Amino acid sequence: MALAALDLDQALFEGLCRLGDSTLVLGHRVSEWCGHAPVLEEDIALANVALDLIGQTQMWLGLAGEVEGKGRDADTLAFRRDVWDFRNLLLVERPNGDFGHTLMRQFLFDAWHQPMLKALEGSGDARIAEIAAKAGKEVAYHLERSADLVIRLGDGTTESHQRMQTALDKLWPYTGEMMMADATDQALAGAGIIAAPDSLRPAWDALVGEVLTEATLKPPEGRYMHKGGKQGTHSEHLGHMLTEMQWLQRAYPDAKW
Amino acid sequence: MYAQMVTSEASNEDPEKLAAFQARIDAGEKIEPKDWMPEGYRKTLIRQIGQHAHSEIVGQLPEGNWITRAPTLERKAILLAKVQDEAGHGLYLYCAAETLGVSRDELTEALLAGKMKYSSIFNYPTLNWADIGAVGWLVDGAAIMNQVPLQRTSFGPYSRAMIRICKEESFHQRQGYDIMMKMAQGTPEQKAMAQDALNRFWYPSLMMFGPSDRDSVHSAQSMAWKIKINTNDELRQKFVDQTVPQAEYLGLTIPDPDLKWNEEKGGYDFSEPDWSEFFEVIKGNGPCNAERMEARQKAWDDGAWFRDGLMAHAKKRAAARVAAE
């Protein structure tokens, strides 16, 4: 089937929602820690990461709204869509769990996010390249921090090692989706707008492998990977998050905030 | 005003040294951590700076309560940045206290054991979105009243921390007022939320300055040492005078039927808060005392493995370095 311009615009809208929804949902999850982290420096660092991700969401969803051309802005997309319209990765909607689980989720995401943004800097769409360059600077720091903490806690005490290993075992089956392409990805990659998801695999494997080895952690044996988030089929967790996040906008639809 | 009712300690040291110390303070010199200082000065400052730091940390909780429900991406980002600033303030203040010979962990343990306090205001709940506006406008507004003069406090590290903190607090206060404007000019429901927030936060904000210290010996000593610059009543009056016109501009009503401009004194007459409520809150019987302490205790307990893990890793690295040398 030949791809008409209309279809490419649709794919672009979908692709931007995938980016913006993933940063939104992860930013929200990270912000749930506010005031509850194990040390003050972590409270500050987590707020920083959440802030960066929310800022990136404003850019990605802002552009998505523009591309769609139906008058929806970033807030409308974030606060007025229901679960099935969200396009985030399943990994980022996983609940926080303990602090080790939160950190491991962050690391597995950052290890994809950073090279993915690097590749997007070369996007044929200048607006995307510009956002990617801006976000990439922030995400380089996220990755440095999360990789460092995974190493230190993996190779810390018996308990910290065990907690990090458990987190890795639980989260691993949600990592495959980042590198799995569907028709939308293929259309966008074919048009030179994004890098093909599977092209990011070698960089992710190498980085994750190196960090986990230094952390004395091992990926689980199982190869099964969950998928569906990018197409709008989510876990039960996302609906609860949206219930909380969207409450004011839903309860008072005429209000300006 | 995050330090309330700080008891100051008398000092029984060499009168000559005490006189020389007082002369330095009177001359406007800053006292630095390595300088000689009376034991009472040191202990009073640890109590005051520690209480202030704890207030910043516990103060994250009532505002954090709305981060996940902030109504727009921008409001969420602003609130996150604000709560992050507060954690940063806590950090500078714990560092300032550390220069006096007490560690952050010791202060944290004293807080969790109920041996140290934090400001009474953070034991009140944030129940609607306008509360986030009211906290910025009124609570940060009251804090600034106290902290601006404290930029001139005699202890160098505390004074320098205050200078940094004040810049950020004024920004927070403006952001809070901005939320109140949106709410007060919004739908009937939003106006009702704004008025409800003011009704609940007005008297607790007045309590932040502490009871009248007309007869307090402790205040006199702290003022002589320039640890405290103004009396509680002076600051409260200034706060009311500043805030009433702001409330009028918003079209909101201060919940005090006796509030009246007094031409003669050039300020407002206003009702005292219910001090019996204040003392109950200080004793632990405020609406959120138990939850606030449970949240801090849980963060500390749940974080133990994390802190231990980092320490263990640092030791392994240090040992590996030694072995390599």
Side-chain angles (χ1 to χ4, degrees):
Chain A
M1 185 181 77
L3 220 70
L6 186 67
D7 296 326
L8 190 60
D9 273 354
Q10 177 60 26
L12 184 53
F13 174 73
E14 288 278 320
L16 288 165
C17 287
R18 290 175 180 187
L19 293 164
D21 290 343
S22 288
T23 53
L24 173 60
V25 170
L26 185 59
H28 186 98
R29 280 285 185 237
V30 173
S31 77
E32 291 171 356
W33 273 100
C34 191
H36 304 278
V39 286
L40 199 40
E41 285 81 352
E42 287 306 314
D43 262 324
I44 295 173
L46 287 172
N48 227 11
V49 170
L51 258 177
D52 288 343
L53 292 170
I54 298 303
Q56 292 167 19
T57 304
Q58 289 174 297
M59 297 190 283
W60 291 129
L61 293 186
L63 182 54
E66 245 176 81
V67 166
E68 187 193 38
K70 290 185 186 164
R72 293 201 285 184
D73 61 9
D75 281 332
T76 311
L77 290 172
F79 294 94
R80 301 289 178 94
R81 280 177 306 155
D82 213 327
V83 173
W84 51 82
D85 284 329
F86 271 71
R87 294 291 181 263
N88 60 280
L89 298 161
L90 295 176
L91 176 68
V92 297
E93 71 194 54
R94 302 309 301 157
N96 285 338
D98 69 9
F99 200 69
H101 191 264
T102 292
L103 276 175
M104 184 58 80
R105 183 186 61 201
Q106 188 72 42
F107 169 66
L108 295 170
F109 177 77
D110 293 343
W112 166 80
H113 200 197
Q114 198 267 342
M116 187 277 296
L117 289 171
K118 194 83 213 152
L120 278 191
E121 283 183 42
S123 169
D125 187 318
R127 298 166 300 181
I128 290 180
E130 194 183 323
I131 297 173
K134 196 158 179 281
K137 290 191 190 108
E138 296 167 346
V139 170
Y141 162 77
H142 300 176
L143 176 60
E144 194 183 314
R145 169 179 171 273
S146 63
D148 178 58
L149 284 172
V150 165
I151 291 169
R152 293 204 271 160
L153 294 167
D155 186 21
T157 58
T158 313
E159 184 182 0
S160 72
H161 174 85
Q162 195 47 54
R163 283 177 183 265
M164 297 311 284
Q165 184 62 52
T166 304
L168 180 61
D169 293 347
K170 283 188 176 171
L171 291 165
W172 191 256
Y174 295 94
T175 57
E177 194 185 14
M178 298 188 281
M179 274 97 41
M180 246 180 249
D182 65 0
T184 299
D185 293 316
Q186 282 158 0
L188 292 173
I193 293 172
I194 65 164
D198 54 358
S199 71
L200 300 168
R201 166 68 73 186
W204 190 84
D205 281 347
L207 182 66
V208 169
E210 190 189 321
V211 168
L212 293 183
T213 303
E214 204 180 336
T216 70
L217 299 170
K218 279 198 191 72
E221 298 287 332
R223 299 282 102 190
Y224 183 76
M225 290 290 163
H226 295 284
K227 56 180 188 294
K230 283 160 64 167
Q231 294 80 26
T233 307
H234 292 276
S235 66
E236 290 179 345
H237 302 290
L238 186 63
H240 291 280
M241 176 195 279
L242 297 187
T243 301
E244 186 174 351
M245 185 176 91
Q246 299 181 334
W247 173 66
L248 277 174
Q249 289 255 1
R250 299 283 194 183
Y252 304 99
D254 302 328
K256 299 261 183 298
W257 306 95
Chain B
M1 167 67 61
Y2 289 159
Q4 293 161 320
M5 302 184 69
V6 175
T7 312
S8 72
E9 301 234 353
S11 280
N12 301 312
E13 281 132 324
D14 179 355
E16 265 181 48
K17 275 188 165 173
L18 285 173
F21 180 79
Q22 190 61 50
R24 289 189 63 195
I25 288 183
D26 294 343
E29 281 180 43
K30 290 279 179 257
I31 308 300
E32 295 300 333
K34 286 183 178 161
D35 297 349
W36 183 86
M37 63 185 79
E39 215 28 48
Y41 178 85
R42 181 190 303 277
K43 283 188 181 158
T44 307
L45 269 174
I46 288 176
R47 216 172 279 150
Q48 180 166 332
I49 299 173
Q51 195 185 112
H52 188 163
H54 295 329
S55 299
E56 299 281 0
I57 301 311
V58 178
Q60 293 182 90
L61 299 171
E63 294 188 280
N65 182 40
W66 279 91
I67 286 180
T68 54
R69 289 178 290 171
T72 66
L73 294 169
E74 192 187 0
R75 290 289 179 203
K76 192 181 179 77
I78 291 171
L79 185 55
L80 262 168
K82 176 176 196 269
V83 178
Q84 185 192 31
D85 283 348
E86 273 146 20
H89 298 170
L91 199 56
Y92 315 147
L93 288 162
Y94 284 126
C95 291
E98 280 179 334
T99 68
L100 293 160
V102 60
S103 72
R104 199 204 305 178
D105 285 359
E106 285 171 310
L107 289 170
T108 302
E109 279 158 12
L111 170 71
L112 296 177
K115 291 180 191 149
M116 285 186 86
K117 302 280 184 208
Y118 54 91
S119 178
S120 56
I121 192 74
F122 301 119
N123 291 312
Y124 289 88
T126 51
L127 301 177
N128 82 54
W129 172 250
D131 286 17
I132 297 307
V135 167
W137 172 37
L138 301 174
V139 175
D140 292 321
I144 293 166
M145 283 293 154
N146 182 54
Q147 290 171 5
V148 164
L150 276 177
Q151 295 178 101
R152 294 180 281 114
T153 189
S154 60
F155 186 56
Y158 192 24
S159 152
R160 291 188 286 275
M162 279 303 145
I163 291 169
R164 254 183 104 164
I165 289 172
C166 279
K167 283 186 194 146
E168 293 177 348
E169 292 289 4
S170 329
F171 196 59
H172 297 167
Q173 197 200 8
R174 282 201 295 274
Q175 289 168 340
Y177 196 71
D178 182 62
I179 292 179
M180 292 307 281
M181 295 251 281
K182 267 273 189 298
M183 299 297 281
Q185 294 164 0
T187 64
E189 290 97 337
Q190 284 177 301
K191 275 184 209 163
M193 289 182 215
Q195 184 62 52
D196 175 52
L198 175 58
N199 292 349
R200 283 179 289 104
F201 275 95
W202 175 251
Y203 286 108
S205 299
L206 296 186
M207 290 176 199
M208 286 177 69
F209 299 94
S212 176
D213 45 12
R214 271 184 296 265
D215 311 314
S216 165
V217 185
H218 301 304
S219 284
Q221 177 60 81
S222 283
M223 288 180 86
W225 278 335
K226 292 191 189 161
I227 291 174
K228 189 178 166 91
I229 311 283
N230 302 90
T231 68
N232 295 349
D233 293 323
E234 281 166 6
L235 293 171
R236 191 171 10 251
Q237 180 70 52
K238 223 174 142 187
F239 173 74
V240 171
D241 293 345
Q242 173 187 290
T243 308
V244 171
Q246 294 171 344
E248 282 168 359
Y249 184 78
L250 292 171
L252 299 177
T253 309
I254 304 251
D256 178 359
D258 297 326
L259 185 85
K260 202 169 77 233
W261 178 254
N262 179 333
E263 194 60 52
E264 204 177 313
K265 79 171 179 186
Y268 286 91
D269 291 332
F270 56 93
S271 302
E272 290 272 311
D274 176 357
W275 290 111
S276 64
E277 176 182 316
F278 172 77
F279 287 109
E280 286 300 334
V281 174
I282 292 278
K283 263 193 274 174
N285 297 323
C288 299
N289 295 59
E291 278 122 303
R292 300 291 185 245
M293 275 303 96
E294 272 165 28
R296 291 313 306 159
Q297 185 74 54
K298 185 173 188 306
W300 185 246
D301 293 346
D302 290 356
W305 72 268
F306 171 86
R307 297 187 300 271
D308 292 346
L310 294 189
M311 292 301 285
H313 183 79
K315 275 189 195 143
K316 284 184 197 177
R317 280 215 177 150
R321 263 200 305 277
V322 171
E325 273 166 14

